Amino acid sequence: MAHRLLLRLGLLGVGGASITYNIDDIETAAIGAVRFGRAAVTVTKIVADYRTTLYSGSVTPESDGYMDIKSQTHLRSAKQLLELCCLNGGAFVKVGQHLGSLEYLLPLEYVNTMKVLHSNAPKSSLQDIYQVIEEELKCKPEELFVEFEPEPLGAASLAQVHRARLYNGQEVAVKVQHPTVKAHSRVDMKGMEIPAVDWSHTTDRVLVMEFCEGGQVNDKNYMVTHDINTNEVSEKISKMYSEMIFVNGYVHCDPHPGNVLVKKVNNEAQIILLDHGLYTSLTSDFRLTYSRFWLSILNADLNEIQRYGDQLGVGELFGLFACMVTGRSWDSITKGIDKKERTSSEQDEIKADAAKYLPEISAVLNRVPRQMLLIFKTNDLLRGIEFSLNTQEGMKSFVIMSRCCIRSLFAHKRMLCNSLLCAARVSIAETWAQFKITLYTLYLLCIRSELGKFISKTWMTNNSVKL
C-alpha cells in the first residue's frame, strides 16, 4: 500500500513540469525527476526483499522463526521508506506521517518507524533558519528575539518550530519554513485552542505565535502522568472533528498526532490544534450525503448504505467503502457497530483484508470525491488515537457523530423552510431525534453495565434451561 502511494507521488512530481522553459519550471522538473527516481529505486528494493525473503518458497508460515523473519523484513522496508521520506521531503513526509498513524491497520514495525515524522522530521540547520528569517523579516534574528533556542521543538514536513522570547518578554513559538519547501511545493501542489499569531513578525515563510505547552494527543503516558482522563480526550477529539466535518464543513487537513496537543486546565482536558496552514471547505452536497451515509451505517440500514455509497461514487464497492470509513468489519456493520464491540480478532481480520483487497481499496480511492481522501486521513487519526489511548471500545464517538449528522441534516431542512411554522416543525423533529439518541445511549449504558450483563447472563441461562 505504501509503495504504491509513493510511486504515485513520484509520478506526480515528474508530471508537474510545464512545457514553458523558465528557470522555475526546469527546477521543478529536475526535483520531480530526482524524487521519482528515489521512490522507484526504494520501492523496487522493498518488493524484491519481500519476494526473496517471504514469498520465494524457501520460508513458509510453518517454518521455524517465521514471525521473526517477517518482522525483520517489515522493519527493513519501513526504514527504507523513512529514509526516502526524509530525503524527498514535502509530500513524502506527509505520507510517512500518515503511515505512522495507522496503528490499527499496518504492522507495528512500519508504525513505530514512521512515527518519528510526527514531530521529528528532517531538520534544517540553524544557519538556514536564520537566513529565512532575515529574508522574510528584513532584520537579523537577534534584533527580534532576546532568546532563540537553537534546537527545534519539533520538525515537520514543511517547517520547524523554535522556542524564543521577544524583547517585551513574551515567550513565543517561531515556525520557520524549510529553505527547500518553495521548490518542493511546486512539485507537490501539482500532484479547541488555537495559538494566537503575532502578525507583526509573520510572513509567508515565518510564523511567530503563542507558545502552547502540552503532550501529543496519542501519548498515553503523558496523560497518566498529568492525571488527564483519556476517555475525555478521545471524546473531545471526536467532537471537534465531527463538528468540523458534519456541521461546519471546514476541515483541518493535516491531522497527525504531532499537530494535536492536550493539557490539563482547570481539572479538564484541553485540546490544542496546531498547524493551520491547510484547510478545505466541503461542499454542501458532499457534507449532507456523507452525513446520511454515516447515519445509515449507525442504523445498520444496508439499503441506505448502498444508496448513499452510490451517491458518493463507489458503486458496487459500497460495503468495502463502509468498512474503510468506520475501520470495522462488514460483519460488525451489518450487526450494528454501536452494538458489537471491537475485538482483537476483528482487528486481525481488518489487517488481513487490507492486504487481500488492495486492488478494490485502490478502486474506492480513485472513485470517491477528492474531499473524501482528506476525510479518510482524519478518520485514521481518530482511530489511531483511540487505539493508542485504548478507548476504542467505547460508544461515545458514534453517539457524537450521530448527533452532529442530525444537526447537519436538520439545519439543511430548516434552511429550506419558507415559514416560521415549517422551521418550528423541523426544530421539534430535531429535538425528538436527539432525545431518541439520548434514550438509546442510556439503554446501551444499562446493558453494558455490570448489572445489565448480570441480568442478560441470567436470562440466557434460564432460557437455555427451559430449552
Side-chain angles (χ1 to χ4, degrees):
M1 185 185 301
H3 72 263
R4 292 192 182 193
L5 183 52
L6 289 168
L7 267 176
R8 288 177 184 170
L9 286 169
L11 288 168
L12 283 172
V14 172
S18 172
I19 296 177
T20 56
Y21 296 103
N22 58 50
I23 296 299
D24 284 346
D25 289 330
I26 293 173
E27 182 184 20
T28 298
I31 291 171
V34 170
R35 295 168 95 198
F36 169 74
R38 288 190 190 126
V41 170
T42 300
V43 170
T44 301
K45 287 181 178 178
I46 290 173
V47 171
D49 191 3
Y50 273 97
R51 284 180 176 172
T52 56
T53 307
L54 297 178
Y55 303 120
S56 64
S58 59
V59 176
T60 67
E62 290 75 30
S63 302
D64 290 338
Y66 173 79
M67 295 305 296
D68 184 57
I69 294 171
K70 182 179 178 181
S71 176
Q72 290 302 315
T73 306
H74 287 329
L75 186 60
R76 285 196 303 273
S77 301
K79 287 180 176 178
Q80 289 185 72
L81 283 178
L82 177 62
E83 183 180 2
L84 172 67
C85 292
C86 291
L87 285 172
N88 277 0
F92 283 77
V93 174
K94 296 288 185 191
V95 172
Q97 289 172 336
H98 189 54
L99 295 177
S101 301
L102 301 182
E103 292 175 281
Y104 73 97
L105 182 61
L106 295 180
L108 285 178
E109 291 84 356
Y110 280 91
V111 174
N112 291 336
T113 300
M114 308 308 284
K115 263 184 180 178
V116 67
L117 297 176
H118 288 157
S119 59
N120 195 23
K123 303 172 185 176
S124 294
S125 69
L126 186 62
Q127 181 181 355
D128 286 341
I129 292 299
Y130 280 174
Q131 181 181 340
V132 173
I133 292 175
E134 287 187 38
E135 289 174 358
E136 293 298 308
L137 299 179
K138 311 303 179 188
C139 60
K140 294 185 179 297
E142 55 266 28
E143 295 175 325
L144 292 174
F145 308 106
V146 65
E147 295 175 11
F148 193 96
E149 292 190 3
E151 186 65 23
L153 293 168
S157 56
L158 303 180
Q160 64 190 50
V161 180
H162 291 260
R163 193 171 189 163
R165 190 179 301 276
L166 299 173
Y167 275 92
N168 63 7
Q170 181 185 357
E171 189 174 32
V172 294
V174 184
K175 187 170 187 177
V176 184
Q177 191 180 88
H178 295 304
T180 58
V181 163
K182 274 193 172 181
H184 281 180
S185 64
R186 285 195 293 270
V187 179
D188 297 334
M189 287 300 290
K190 294 179 181 180
M192 161 189 81
E193 175 190 351
I194 297 176
V197 176
D198 184 340
W199 294 106
S200 64
H201 297 119
T202 295
T203 72
D204 289 343
R205 301 171 67 201
V206 177
L207 174 62
V208 178
M209 55 190 168
E210 172 191 6
F211 181 82
C212 296
E213 298 276 3
Q216 283 193 186
V217 73
N218 61 346
D219 189 345
K220 188 175 181 179
N221 291 332
Y222 174 88
M223 296 180 204
V224 171
T225 302
H226 292 80
D227 193 27
I228 298 174
N229 188 314
T230 55
N231 287 301
E232 181 189 359
V233 171
S234 187
E235 182 180 345
K236 286 189 173 182
I237 289 288
S238 180
K239 185 174 188 295
M240 180 176 71
Y241 279 104
S242 292
E243 294 214 356
M244 277 189 197
I245 293 169
F246 298 113
V247 179
N248 300 314
Y250 191 60
V251 185
H252 181 264
C253 295
D254 198 12
H256 64 77
N259 280 340
V260 187
L261 304 182
V262 60
K263 66 179 180 180
K264 193 168 186 178
V265 178
N266 297 327
N267 211 33
E268 289 187 2
Q270 182 181 66
I271 308 300
I272 304 167
L273 191 60
L274 305 177
D275 198 349
H276 302 274
L278 184 60
Y279 276 79
T280 191
S281 294
L282 306 178
T283 65
S284 292
D285 285 346
F286 172 84
R287 181 172 57 84
L288 294 171
T289 303
Y290 186 57
S291 295
R292 295 184 182 106
F293 182 72
W294 251 111
L295 282 180
S296 66
I297 292 174
L298 293 167
N299 292 328
D301 189 330
L302 303 190
N303 290 330
E304 293 291 275
I305 290 175
Q306 182 173 4
R307 175 186 174 188
Y308 294 118
D310 190 58
Q311 290 184 20
L312 288 168
V314 297
E316 76 283 1
L317 297 176
F318 66 91
L320 177 60
F321 179 53
C323 294
M324 292 169 66
V325 164
T326 59
R328 301 294 301 272
S329 67
W330 181 244
D331 180 62
S332 294
I333 291 171
T334 57
K335 292 178 180 177
I337 56 176
D338 57 339
K339 302 178 183 68
K340 192 174 188 298
E341 293 186 355
R342 196 192 311 261
T343 62
S344 58
S345 60
E346 182 182 1
Q347 288 298 117
D348 293 339
E349 178 187 346
I350 291 169
K351 288 184 179 182
D353 285 347
K356 187 191 305 181
Y357 295 111
L358 188 56
E360 289 81 2
I361 291 172
S362 297
V364 168
L365 296 176
N366 285 329
R367 293 182 188 183
V368 294
R370 292 182 63 84
Q371 300 163 89
M372 191 64 229
L373 300 178
L374 297 171
I375 302 298
F376 275 134
K377 188 174 182 181
T378 301
N379 288 347
D380 286 335
L381 167 77
L382 298 177
R383 284 195 288 271
I385 290 171
E386 288 179 347
F387 186 89
S388 298
L389 301 184
N390 196 27
T391 58
Q392 68 267 35
E393 303 296 337
M395 59 183 176
K396 285 281 184 70
S397 61
F398 297 131
V399 172
I400 290 168
M401 280 188 282
S402 297
R403 293 193 183 280
C404 286
C405 289
I406 287 172
R407 282 173 58 194
S408 172
L409 295 173
F410 277 97
H412 178 68
K413 287 183 179 180
R414 213 167 9 249
M415 186 178 68
L416 298 177
C417 286
N418 54 13
S419 69
L420 290 176
L421 180 59
C422 172
R425 286 174 176 168
V426 171
S427 295
I428 292 171
E430 179 183 4
T431 301
W432 174 241
Q434 295 284 12
F435 180 65
K436 286 194 292 185
I437 290 180
T438 301
L439 291 178
Y440 185 61
T441 303
L442 292 173
Y443 162 73
L444 289 177
L445 285 171
C446 288
I447 64 172
R448 292 185 179 184
S449 66
E450 291 302 318
L451 177 61
K453 290 177 181 177
F454 173 77
I455 294 173
S456 176
K457 183 178 180 180
T458 303
W459 183 87
M460 290 179 67
T461 302
N462 291 338
N463 278 271
S464 62
V465 171
K466 291 177 182 178
L467 289 174

